[in-house]
Amino acid sequence: MRQLASARWQLVTGGSHFDWLRLGQGNPEALITEARDWMRAAVATGLLEPAKSSSDPQMSNDRMSATMSDRVNVKIVLLFGDQAEVQADAHDAEPPTRYPAAEIAEAVGLAPAELPGKRLTADVGDDDRLSGWRLA
């Protein structure tokens, strides 16, 4: 559902996925409200089943936090020396950013030479740097 909300926001504003994530870091309450509106609409149109309520409200909050994480889809474009050029896996992606290839390779269990063309997910830090690399 978050991807639908992100896609809607991108279509309306022309912003990129990273712009969406930056907006959420500074204003998570607005994004949560919008995501809930999208969920209600999806249930009303029959696209999704209504959520089963939990007797433990903390468990529901933990589940929502887990689904609202700042993980992004990326691809490794190429290697440049010991650096990997990483780009958001989106049609409107910004230019690639370089990260140490050895660090990424170690995290995903590959040799650095195997990285080009791979699709990964990564955590977006407060400074917009990526970490927590995983194969997609």
Side-chain angles (χ1 to χ4, degrees):
M1 203 37 49
R2 185 174 190 213
Q3 289 178 336
L4 284 174
S6 172
R8 177 191 172 277
W9 182 87
Q10 290 176 40
L11 288 170
V12 170
T13 66
S16 72
H17 184 69
F18 285 123
D19 294 334
W20 164 262
L21 291 175
R22 280 192 285 270
L23 171 70
Q25 288 174 348
N27 191 6
E29 207 46 51
L31 297 181
I32 291 169
T33 301
E34 185 170 3
R36 286 183 183 145
D37 290 344
W38 277 95
M39 289 295 287
R40 287 185 191 107
V43 169
T45 59
L47 292 172
L48 293 175
E49 296 282 323
K52 296 185 176 39
S53 62
S54 169
S55 59
D56 180 2
Q58 184 58 45
M59 188 163 94
S60 296
N61 289 339
D62 290 345
R63 194 175 311 129
M64 178 172 247
S65 295
T67 60
M68 296 296 282
S69 70
D70 285 339
R71 281 201 75 74
V72 294
N73 295 323
V74 298
K75 61 185 171 186
I76 307 298
V77 179
L78 57 85
L79 294 181
F80 189 81
D82 64 349
Q83 300 289 302
E85 289 205 347
V86 179
Q87 187 171 35
D89 196 3
H91 70 281
D92 62 346
E94 295 176 11
T97 305
R98 291 185 182 167
Y99 290 87
E103 174 188 314
I104 299 169
E106 182 179 341
V108 298
L110 297 172
E114 296 176 278
L115 290 175
K118 295 292 186 219
R119 295 185 187 285
L120 311 171
T121 64
D123 293 315
V124 180
D126 291 336
D127 59 355
D128 290 334
R129 291 291 292 172
L130 301 177
S131 63
W133 308 97
R134 293 186 213 153
L135 287 171

